[in-house]
Amino acid sequence: MRWWSAANLVSNTGTWMQLTVQNLLVLQITGSAATTGLSVAVQAAPGLLLGVAGGAVVDSWPRKVTASVSQAVLGLVALVTAALVALDLLGTGVLMALAALTGLIATVDGPACALLGNDLVEPRDVPSAIALGSMVHSVGRLTGAALAGGAVAWFGIAAAYVANGLSFLAVAAVVPFLEPARRPEDAPAKTEARTGRTADGSPPGRGAAAPRGSARGGSAFFLGRPRLVALAVVTGVSAVFGRNYGLTLAVLVTGPLAGGAEDFGTVSVVLAVGGMVGAVVAGRLRDPSVRTVAALAAAGALLQVVAGLAPSLLVLLVLVVPMAVVESVSDTAGATVLQTDPPAALRGRVLGVWRSVSTGWGLVGPPLLGVLMEAVGARGALVVGGLVIAGTIGAGALCHGRRAVSAGTAPDRWPGPVVGTGVAVPDGPGGPVPARPVPAAVVPAPRRPVEDGTPSPAPAPAPAL
């Protein structure tokens, strides 16, 4: 675990060194803002279109081999880019090809590294491990951005790509030495995936595992799991209307609050510090549910409404701290649910489905929010967005409560129990108790910062080129 956390820190530092300068590189090569945006879209396209297929690959191949190879290939792509930049040979066509290749590899690398981390800790340590990953990501982001400025000033843009390439290779070198924790509770899920029946010989229930390697099995399981669908709705609405603070708060600070770039820089630092505090708080979570995620998202939405009405920069800074804390805890809770709910043999495919849908709302969110700000201003966008999030969550909770009452069951976990995992549970006083999965632990991989609202404080994205 210590080696993995150290690799995570090195990786995130290198990633953010490259992310800090990559748009500048594209602008220097093409001179076009539109082409810069196109390069981002080209890299995102594989995640949107092939996320489920990438997850199926992860479920079919040995995890350590998959993670090590994908990290090594991403490192080579970054180093090749650095060489082309240094030799002044990087043109628009090659740039787009490298961006597409990076996005394609990332569809496998993301779930592979996340699930490799899943093997390293005991189930009870899941929230703490995810919170640690979030903390490491925040530190890596701040460190990488700071180092990028010096590296580019002394050695040029290629230096950031070299650093990122070496950080990928460092992770690939660490992976073979990682020792997984034993988790006997995963055996029922593996038996179910292999035989099509649960551990007691009965047919699998709703959302049960499909044959190993079936890409469609991930989608079927995801859509057949009400709590995962609810998690996607809560996270997606929050990502579109409430998580783009780099956009909404920048316009609010420099517009209605009459601040400057330095003032927004202060807000950004406070957001980062609040995120790290939230990661520490999230480490105390135990067995979070979708209801936990929804409650935190609703609280963050209401804070966003108040922030939209902030009369001064000082008041905004006071509100930004709890906003960041709530967001960080919510992300950790959501990642824990997402990465521990599916059976072990299906987790790669479920993460692949999540990657596809989260890429979708990540692409839709900023333009939609921009249109909203054009219509009602920065304050209006924050207020309306917060009300939409809170209203959606409230309506969902009300509908679930009514269904639970009609069915004569207590709505203890929104949106209901998980079945079909093959884990035997003794009968309760009112009859058989629905089976619940024994959670398996997960540590986020070194690469995927969540720009799209995915609950996974997860591994920083393989950067665009």
Coordinates of all heavy atoms in Angstrom, one line a residue, residues 265-332:
G265 N -7.6 33.1 -7.9 CA -6.5 32.2 -7.5 C -6.7 31.9 -6.0 O -6.5 30.7 -5.6
T266 N -7.1 32.9 -5.2 CA -7.3 32.6 -3.8 C -8.4 31.6 -3.6 O -8.4 30.7 -2.8 CB -7.6 33.9 -3.1 OG1 -6.5 34.8 -3.2 CG2 -7.8 33.7 -1.6
V267 N -9.5 31.8 -4.4 CA -10.7 30.9 -4.3 C -10.3 29.5 -4.6 O -10.7 28.5 -4.0 CB -11.8 31.4 -5.2 CG1 -12.9 30.4 -5.3 CG2 -12.4 32.8 -4.7
S268 N -9.4 29.4 -5.7 CA -9.0 28.1 -6.1 C -8.2 27.4 -5.1 O -8.3 26.2 -4.8 CB -8.2 28.2 -7.4 OG -9.0 28.8 -8.5
V269 N -7.3 28.1 -4.4 CA -6.5 27.5 -3.3 C -7.4 27.1 -2.2 O -7.2 26.0 -1.6 CB -5.4 28.6 -2.8 CG1 -4.8 28.1 -1.5 CG2 -4.4 28.8 -3.9
V270 N -8.4 27.9 -1.8 CA -9.3 27.5 -0.7 C -10.1 26.3 -1.1 O -10.3 25.4 -0.3 CB -10.2 28.7 -0.4 CG1 -11.3 28.2 0.6 CG2 -9.5 29.9 0.2
L271 N -10.5 26.2 -2.4 CA -11.2 25.0 -2.8 C -10.3 23.7 -2.7 O -10.7 22.7 -2.2 CB -11.6 25.1 -4.3 CG -12.9 25.8 -4.6 CD1 -13.0 26.1 -6.1 CD2 -14.1 25.0 -4.1
A272 N -9.0 23.9 -3.0 CA -8.1 22.7 -2.9 C -7.9 22.3 -1.5 O -7.9 21.1 -1.2 CB -6.7 23.1 -3.6
V273 N -7.7 23.3 -0.6 CA -7.5 23.0 0.8 C -8.8 22.3 1.4 O -8.7 21.4 2.1 CB -7.2 24.3 1.6 CG1 -7.2 24.0 3.1 CG2 -5.8 24.8 1.2
G274 N -9.9 22.9 1.0 CA -11.2 22.3 1.5 C -11.3 20.8 1.0 O -11.8 20.0 1.7
G275 N -10.9 20.6 -0.2 CA -10.9 19.2 -0.7 C -10.0 18.3 0.1 O -10.4 17.1 0.3
M276 N -8.9 18.7 0.5 CA -8.0 17.9 1.3 C -8.6 17.6 2.7 O -8.5 16.5 3.2 CB -6.6 18.5 1.4 CG -5.8 18.4 0.1 SD -4.1 19.0 0.2 CE -4.3 20.7 0.2
V277 N -9.2 18.7 3.2 CA -9.9 18.5 4.5 C -11.0 17.4 4.4 O -11.2 16.6 5.2 CB -10.4 19.8 5.1 CG1 -11.3 19.6 6.3 CG2 -9.3 20.8 5.4
G278 N -11.8 17.6 3.3 CA -12.8 16.6 3.0 C -12.3 15.2 2.9 O -13.0 14.2 3.3
A279 N -11.1 15.0 2.3 CA -10.5 13.7 2.1 C -10.2 13.1 3.5 O -10.4 11.9 3.7 CB -9.3 13.7 1.3
V280 N -9.8 13.9 4.4 CA -9.5 13.4 5.8 C -10.8 13.0 6.5 O -10.9 11.9 7.1 CB -8.8 14.5 6.6 CG1 -8.6 14.1 8.1 CG2 -7.4 14.8 6.0
V281 N -11.8 13.8 6.3 CA -13.1 13.5 6.9 C -13.7 12.2 6.3 O -14.2 11.3 7.0 CB -14.1 14.7 6.7 CG1 -15.5 14.3 7.2 CG2 -13.6 15.9 7.4
A282 N -13.5 12.1 5.0 CA -14.1 10.9 4.3 C -13.4 9.6 4.7 O -14.0 8.5 4.6 CB -13.9 11.1 2.8
G283 N -12.2 9.7 5.2 CA -11.5 8.5 5.7 C -12.2 7.8 6.8 O -11.9 6.7 7.1
R284 N -13.1 8.5 7.5 CA -13.9 7.9 8.6 C -15.2 7.3 8.2 O -15.9 6.7 9.0 CB -14.2 9.0 9.6 CG -12.9 9.7 10.2 CD -13.3 10.7 11.2 NE -13.8 10.2 12.4 CZ -13.1 9.6 13.4 NH1 -11.8 9.7 13.3 NH2 -13.7 9.1 14.4
L285 N -15.5 7.3 6.9 CA -16.7 6.7 6.4 C -16.7 5.2 6.5 O -15.6 4.6 6.3 CB -17.0 7.0 4.9 CG -17.4 8.5 4.6 CD1 -17.4 8.6 3.0 CD2 -18.8 8.8 5.1
R286 N -17.8 4.6 6.8 CA -17.9 3.1 6.9 C -19.2 2.7 6.2 O -20.2 3.2 6.5 CB -17.9 2.6 8.3 CG -16.5 2.8 9.0 CD -15.5 1.9 8.3 NE -14.2 2.0 9.0 CZ -13.2 2.8 8.6 NH1 -13.5 3.7 7.6 NH2 -12.0 2.9 9.2
D287 N -19.1 1.9 5.1 CA -20.2 1.3 4.4 C -21.2 2.4 3.9 O -22.3 2.4 4.3 CB -21.0 0.3 5.3 CG -22.0 -0.5 4.5 OD1 -21.8 -0.6 3.2 OD2 -23.0 -0.9 5.0
P288 N -20.7 3.4 3.2 CA -21.6 4.5 2.7 C -22.6 3.9 1.7 O -22.3 2.9 1.0 CB -20.6 5.5 2.0 CG -19.4 4.7 1.6 CD -19.3 3.6 2.7
S289 N -23.7 4.6 1.6 CA -24.8 4.2 0.7 C -25.1 5.3 -0.4 O -24.5 6.4 -0.3 CB -26.0 3.8 1.5 OG -26.5 5.0 2.1
V290 N -25.9 5.0 -1.3 CA -26.4 6.0 -2.3 C -27.1 7.1 -1.5 O -27.0 8.3 -1.9 CB -27.2 5.4 -3.4 CG1 -27.7 6.4 -4.4 CG2 -26.5 4.3 -4.1
R291 N -27.8 6.8 -0.5 CA -28.5 7.8 0.3 C -27.4 8.8 0.9 O -27.7 10.0 0.9 CB -29.3 7.2 1.5 CG -29.9 8.2 2.4 CD -30.7 7.5 3.5 NE -31.9 7.0 3.0 CZ -32.9 6.5 3.7 NH1 -32.7 6.3 5.0 NH2 -34.0 6.1 3.2
T292 N -26.3 8.3 1.3 CA -25.2 9.2 1.8 C -24.8 10.1 0.7 O -24.6 11.3 0.9 CB -24.0 8.3 2.3 OG1 -24.5 7.4 3.3 CG2 -23.0 9.2 2.9
V293 N -24.5 9.6 -0.5 CA -24.1 10.4 -1.6 C -25.1 11.5 -1.9 O -24.8 12.6 -2.1 CB -23.8 9.5 -2.8 CG1 -23.4 10.4 -4.0 CG2 -22.7 8.5 -2.5
A294 N -26.4 11.1 -2.0 CA -27.5 12.0 -2.3 C -27.6 13.1 -1.3 O -27.8 14.3 -1.6 CB -28.8 11.2 -2.4
A295 N -27.5 12.7 0.0 CA -27.7 13.8 1.1 C -26.5 14.8 1.0 O -26.7 16.0 1.1 CB -27.7 13.1 2.4
L296 N -25.3 14.3 0.7 CA -24.2 15.2 0.6 C -24.3 16.1 -0.6 O -24.0 17.3 -0.6 CB -22.9 14.4 0.6 CG -22.5 13.7 1.9 CD1 -21.4 12.7 1.6 CD2 -22.0 14.7 2.9
A297 N -24.7 15.5 -1.7 CA -24.9 16.3 -3.0 C -26.0 17.3 -2.8 O -25.8 18.5 -3.3 CB -25.3 15.3 -4.1
A298 N -27.0 17.0 -2.1 CA -28.1 18.0 -1.8 C -27.6 19.1 -0.9 O -27.8 20.3 -1.1 CB -29.3 17.3 -1.2
A299 N -26.8 18.8 0.1 CA -26.2 19.8 1.0 C -25.3 20.7 0.2 O -25.3 21.9 0.3 CB -25.5 19.1 2.1
G300 N -24.4 20.1 -0.7 CA -23.5 20.9 -1.5 C -24.3 21.8 -2.5 O -23.9 23.0 -2.7
A301 N -25.5 21.3 -3.0 CA -26.3 22.2 -3.9 C -26.8 23.4 -3.1 O -26.9 24.5 -3.7 CB -27.4 21.3 -4.5
L302 N -27.3 23.2 -1.9 CA -27.8 24.3 -1.2 C -26.7 25.3 -0.8 O -27.0 26.5 -0.8 CB -28.5 23.8 0.1 CG -29.7 22.9 -0.1 CD1 -30.3 22.4 1.2 CD2 -30.8 23.7 -0.9
L303 N -25.5 24.8 -0.5 CA -24.4 25.7 -0.3 C -24.1 26.5 -1.6 O -23.7 27.7 -1.5 CB -23.2 24.9 0.2 CG -23.2 24.4 1.6 CD1 -22.1 23.4 1.8 CD2 -23.1 25.6 2.6
Q304 N -24.2 25.9 -2.7 CA -24.0 26.5 -4.0 C -25.0 27.6 -4.2 O -24.6 28.7 -4.7 CB -24.1 25.5 -5.1 CG -23.9 26.1 -6.5 CD -24.0 25.1 -7.6 OE1 -23.4 24.0 -7.5 NE2 -24.9 25.3 -8.6
V305 N -26.2 27.4 -3.8 CA -27.3 28.5 -4.0 C -26.9 29.7 -3.1 O -26.9 30.8 -3.6 CB -28.6 27.9 -3.5 CG1 -29.7 29.0 -3.4 CG2 -29.1 26.8 -4.5
V306 N -26.5 29.4 -1.9 CA -26.1 30.5 -1.0 C -24.8 31.3 -1.6 O -24.7 32.5 -1.5 CB -25.8 30.0 0.4 CG1 -25.3 31.2 1.3 CG2 -27.0 29.4 1.0
A307 N -23.9 30.5 -2.1 CA -22.7 31.1 -2.7 C -23.0 32.0 -3.9 O -22.4 33.0 -4.1 CB -21.7 30.0 -3.2
G308 N -24.0 31.6 -4.7 CA -24.5 32.4 -5.8 C -25.0 33.8 -5.3 O -25.0 34.7 -6.1
L309 N -25.5 33.8 -4.1 CA -26.0 35.1 -3.5 C -25.0 35.8 -2.7 O -25.3 36.9 -2.1 CB -27.3 34.8 -2.7 CG -28.4 34.0 -3.4 CD1 -29.5 33.7 -2.5 CD2 -28.9 34.9 -4.6
A310 N -23.7 35.4 -2.6 CA -22.7 36.0 -1.8 C -22.5 37.4 -2.1 O -22.3 37.8 -3.3 CB -21.4 35.2 -1.9
P311 N -22.6 38.3 -1.1 CA -22.5 39.8 -1.4 C -21.0 40.2 -1.6 O -20.8 41.3 -2.1 CB -23.1 40.4 -0.2 CG -22.9 39.5 0.9 CD -22.9 38.1 0.3
S312 N -20.0 39.4 -1.1 CA -18.6 39.9 -1.2 C -17.7 38.6 -1.4 O -18.2 37.5 -1.2 CB -18.3 40.6 0.1 OG -18.3 39.7 1.2
L313 N -16.5 38.9 -1.7 CA -15.5 37.9 -1.9 C -15.2 37.1 -0.6 O -15.1 35.9 -0.5 CB -14.2 38.4 -2.4 CG -13.1 37.4 -2.7 CD1 -13.5 36.4 -3.7 CD2 -11.8 38.2 -3.1
L314 N -15.2 37.9 0.5 CA -15.0 37.2 1.9 C -16.1 36.2 2.2 O -15.8 35.1 2.6 CB -14.9 38.3 2.9 CG -14.7 37.8 4.4 CD1 -13.3 37.1 4.4 CD2 -14.7 39.0 5.4
V315 N -17.3 36.6 2.0 CA -18.4 35.6 2.2 C -18.3 34.4 1.3 O -18.5 33.3 1.8 CB -19.8 36.3 2.0 CG1 -20.9 35.3 2.1 CG2 -20.0 37.5 3.0
L316 N -17.9 34.6 0.1 CA -17.7 33.5 -0.9 C -16.6 32.6 -0.4 O -16.8 31.3 -0.4 CB -17.4 34.0 -2.3 CG -17.2 32.9 -3.3 CD1 -18.4 32.1 -3.5 CD2 -16.7 33.6 -4.6
L317 N -15.5 33.1 0.1 CA -14.4 32.3 0.6 C -14.9 31.4 1.8 O -14.5 30.3 1.9 CB -13.3 33.2 1.0 CG -12.5 33.8 -0.2 CD1 -11.5 34.8 0.4 CD2 -11.8 32.8 -1.0
V318 N -15.7 32.0 2.7 CA -16.2 31.3 3.8 C -17.1 30.1 3.3 O -17.1 29.0 3.9 CB -17.0 32.2 4.7 CG1 -17.7 31.4 5.8 CG2 -16.1 33.2 5.4
L319 N -17.9 30.3 2.3 CA -18.8 29.3 1.8 C -18.1 28.2 1.0 O -18.5 27.1 1.0 CB -19.9 29.9 0.9 CG -20.9 30.8 1.7 CD1 -21.7 31.6 0.7 CD2 -21.8 29.9 2.5
V320 N -17.0 28.6 0.3 CA -16.3 27.7 -0.5 C -15.7 26.5 0.3 O -15.6 25.4 -0.2 CB -15.1 28.4 -1.3 CG1 -14.1 27.5 -1.8 CG2 -15.8 29.2 -2.5
V321 N -15.3 26.8 1.5 CA -14.7 25.7 2.3 C -15.6 24.5 2.5 O -15.3 23.4 2.2 CB -14.1 26.2 3.7 CG1 -13.7 25.1 4.6 CG2 -13.0 27.2 3.4
P322 N -16.8 24.8 3.1 CA -17.7 23.6 3.2 C -18.2 23.0 1.9 O -18.5 21.8 1.8 CB -18.9 24.2 4.0 CG -18.9 25.7 3.8 CD -17.4 26.0 3.7
M323 N -18.3 23.8 0.9 CA -18.6 23.3 -0.4 C -17.6 22.2 -0.9 O -17.9 21.2 -1.4 CB -18.7 24.4 -1.5 CG -19.9 25.3 -1.4 SD -19.8 26.8 -2.4 CE -19.7 26.1 -4.0
A324 N -16.3 22.6 -0.7 CA -15.3 21.7 -1.1 C -15.2 20.4 -0.3 O -15.0 19.3 -0.7 CB -13.9 22.4 -1.1
V325 N -15.5 20.6 1.0 CA -15.4 19.5 2.0 C -16.6 18.5 1.6 O -16.3 17.3 1.5 CB -15.6 19.9 3.4 CG1 -15.8 18.7 4.4 CG2 -14.4 20.7 3.8
V326 N -17.8 19.0 1.4 CA -18.9 18.2 1.1 C -18.7 17.4 -0.2 O -19.0 16.2 -0.4 CB -20.2 19.0 1.0 CG1 -21.3 18.2 0.4 CG2 -20.6 19.5 2.4
E327 N -18.1 18.1 -1.2 CA -17.9 17.5 -2.5 C -16.9 16.4 -2.4 O -17.1 15.3 -3.0 CB -17.3 18.6 -3.5 CG -17.0 18.0 -4.9 CD -16.5 19.0 -5.8 OE1 -16.6 20.2 -5.5 OE2 -15.9 18.7 -6.9
S328 N -15.8 16.6 -1.6 CA -14.8 15.5 -1.5 C -15.4 14.3 -0.8 O -15.1 13.2 -1.2 CB -13.6 16.1 -0.7 OG -12.6 15.1 -0.5
V329 N -16.2 14.5 0.3 CA -16.7 13.4 1.0 C -17.7 12.7 0.1 O -17.8 11.4 0.1 CB -17.4 13.9 2.3 CG1 -18.1 12.7 3.1 CG2 -16.4 14.5 3.2
S330 N -18.5 13.4 -0.6 CA -19.5 12.8 -1.5 C -18.8 12.0 -2.6 O -19.3 10.9 -2.9 CB -20.4 13.9 -2.2 OG -21.3 13.4 -3.1
D331 N -17.7 12.5 -3.2 CA -17.0 11.7 -4.2 C -16.5 10.4 -3.6 O -16.5 9.4 -4.2 CB -15.8 12.5 -4.7 CG -16.3 13.6 -5.7 OD1 -17.4 13.5 -6.2 OD2 -15.5 14.6 -5.9
T332 N -15.9 10.5 -2.4 CA -15.4 9.2 -1.7 C -16.5 8.2 -1.5 O -16.4 7.0 -1.8 CB -14.7 9.6 -0.4 OG1 -13.6 10.5 -0.7 CG2 -14.2 8.4 0.2

